[in-house]
Every structure is written in structure tokens, then in C-alpha cells.
Amino acid sequence: ITYNYLIITADQEYAAIYVNDEFVAEKECSLSLEVGKEHTWRIECPLYHTESGKFTMAAGQPVSLEIKLRPAFGYLNVNSMPEDGASVYINNKRVGVTPYKSDMLASGEYTVRVMKGSYKPIEKSFIVKDNETTEANINMSSDLITVNVETVADADIYIDDQLKGKGKWTGALTEGFHLFEAKKENHKTVSHSENIAQGSDITVVLDAPQAINGMIDVNCNPIKASIYIDDVYYGLTPMIVQDVIIGEHILKLE
């Protein structure tokens, strides 16, 4: 029985070499095989295509195979317009922010989602090809809507518990439910909840806050004294003054 050497060299560090379906070594191997018989070889490596073949071992000089593995991976670049800094998710895993350049990705289809405040989340599919870079350029659209809020001039406007202004306010809000309120000291707060959506500008009109009133029972000795509350004349004592707004007042009798 005659033998000869087979030498296999792969160009990747972690390439697994199989001869006759048995693992031999990584990257490089030398193995004596029987001459005149058919033998098989196979090389496997993560992110590379499997290479294989068969041959009949001949006598003489060692048989040498130098195998260059074909990439089974590519790259994915994700860009967001009009702004950078959007969070990037690939197959539901957060990988970074735009502009994003991936490491090696196995060739195939990937789902890319980009998200950023004040913009609608966008999800698209992209194909990564062998040894190529796929450019995923994603145009994001704003989810802000222009909203006008109006109420009486001396009432404070609150949106989602945040003070926005007095009397009138115009600004941008995201889609969804928002709470609009008109507030005034010693008055009942006027509230309105609205679900705003894209389409056109929105105007929210809030009624005037209604005063919370009490009464003042005024009497004195001698009677028939002039009653002034906050310098406004109300009549003569004794009197029960109706509909006086709650809070602190100045009462004067003359």
C-alpha cells in the first residue's frame, strides 16, 4: 500500500478542515492518504461559504490545496434623514445610532427600525449580499402637529401639566392624546383631552375658568355703613354680599 501527503491551507484563521468527513485541523493540515483511492475534503468557517471537493490521491510529490474561502457576509450602513442620532434596531436588537456601520453580517434579509423623538418610527427590510455593503437610507417624517390653543386673556394655558403661556399659545405637539387646561387662581380649571393626528393644524378653544364664589356677611354698629370690597361699593350694612370670589379681599366700612 502506497501513501502520499495531502496538504490543505485555508486563508481564514478559524476554518475547520475535514478529510473524508473527519475533522483534521483548523486553517492548515498535512495528512498521509492512500494512493489510488478517492478522498473527500471540506472546509467550514463561520460567515464563509463551505468549500468541498474530492480527488484520487496520486503518488509522487505531496498534493497541496490552497483554498480561498468565499465571504458569506456583507455590511449594512444605516443613515437617517433629515437628522442623525436615531436609534437603530436590526432584527429587534438595538445596535447603535445613525449614522451606523455594521460589523460583518451573514448574508440574508434583515429588518431595520429607526426611532427618534419627534419622528415616526420607521421599519424596513434590506438584503445583505456576499461581500457587499448595503446602504439603508431612511427618510423619517416628523410626527409633530402644529396646535393653537386659545382661552381668555388672563388664564394660564397648561398642556400635559406643563405651563405653556397665557391667553394664547401656538406650538408643536406629537401625535396622540394630550390634556389641555385653562387655569386661573380661585377659579375652576377648564380641562379638555383630545387625540391629535397628522392632517392639518388644530385649534383648541378652552372656555373661561369660572370663579369659585363665596359670601361675606357684613354687619356693624352703628348700621348703615358703606361697604367697599376691594374698593368696589356694594351697599350699606347689614348685608350679605353674594358671589364674592374665594381668596383674600380688602373690606372697608365708612
Side-chain angles (χ1 to χ4, degrees):
I1 300 176
T2 304
Y3 289 86
N4 194 8
Y5 269 99
L6 171 67
I7 300 172
I8 299 179
T9 304
D11 66 342
Q12 298 302 318
E13 188 71 26
Y14 299 106
I17 301 174
Y18 295 82
V19 177
N20 295 330
D21 291 328
E22 292 186 4
F23 173 74
V24 178
E26 285 186 339
K27 187 174 174 55
E28 188 177 59
C29 76
S30 60
L31 185 68
S32 64
L33 297 172
E34 187 175 346
V35 171
K37 281 195 173 183
E38 187 176 77
H39 303 278
T40 62
W41 61 271
R42 185 175 77 254
I43 300 177
E44 298 177 354
C45 187
L47 295 178
Y48 288 84
H49 289 287
T50 297
E51 303 290 349
S52 62
K54 58 184 178 180
F55 65 98
T56 300
M57 176 62 77
Q61 294 296 319
V63 176
S64 182
L65 299 176
E66 294 186 2
I67 307 301
K68 183 176 179 62
L69 297 177
R70 294 172 296 126
F73 64 85
Y75 300 90
L76 185 63
N77 294 343
V78 184
N79 301 289
S80 60
M81 285 76 70
E83 293 185 7
D84 293 333
S87 295
V88 178
Y89 293 79
I90 297 179
N91 290 351
N92 293 322
K93 179 181 179 182
R94 190 179 188 279
V95 294
V97 298
T98 56
Y100 171 77
K101 298 181 183 296
S102 75
D103 294 329
M104 293 186 299
L105 291 175
S107 299
E109 185 174 8
Y110 290 88
T111 300
V112 177
R113 184 170 71 252
V114 292
M115 302 174 64
K116 187 174 183 179
S118 301
Y119 290 89
K120 294 179 180 179
I122 295 183
E123 187 170 285
K124 291 186 176 182
S125 294
F126 295 90
I127 301 294
V128 174
K129 298 181 180 179
D130 292 352
N131 208 28
E132 294 184 11
T133 298
T134 299
E135 297 291 338
N137 298 317
I138 298 177
N139 290 304
M140 305 184 71
S141 58
S142 175
D143 66 352
L144 296 178
I145 302 109
T146 299
V147 178
N148 304 298
V149 184
E150 300 176 3
T151 187
V152 291
D154 56 350
D156 292 325
I157 295 173
Y158 283 78
I159 301 176
D160 300 329
D161 294 326
Q162 292 186 351
L163 177 63
K164 296 295 185 179
K166 189 182 290 288
K168 289 184 178 181
W169 178 84
T170 298
L173 297 176
T174 57
E175 286 186 303
F177 279 96
H178 294 275
L179 177 63
F180 300 89
E181 295 176 298
K183 295 184 178 182
K184 189 175 177 182
E185 187 177 7
N186 299 330
H187 287 64
K188 294 180 181 179
T189 297
V190 176
S191 299
H192 173 72
S193 180
E194 185 161 335
N195 183 19
I196 63 175
Q198 293 283 355
S200 60
D201 294 350
I202 294 174
T203 297
V204 177
V205 179
L206 298 172
D207 293 336
Q210 297 299 307
I212 303 173
N213 292 328
M215 298 178 291
I216 301 178
D217 185 346
V218 186
N219 199 358
C220 66
N221 187 16
I223 61 173
K224 295 187 179 180
S226 297
I227 301 170
Y228 293 87
I229 299 175
D230 299 329
D231 293 327
V232 176
Y233 177 73
Y234 279 85
L236 301 176
T237 62
M239 176 182 285
I240 296 176
V241 182
Q242 306 281 349
D243 298 329
V244 180
I245 190 170
I246 63 172
E248 186 176 285
H249 299 274
I250 296 175
L251 170 65
K252 181 171 67 174
L253 300 179
E254 288 185 347

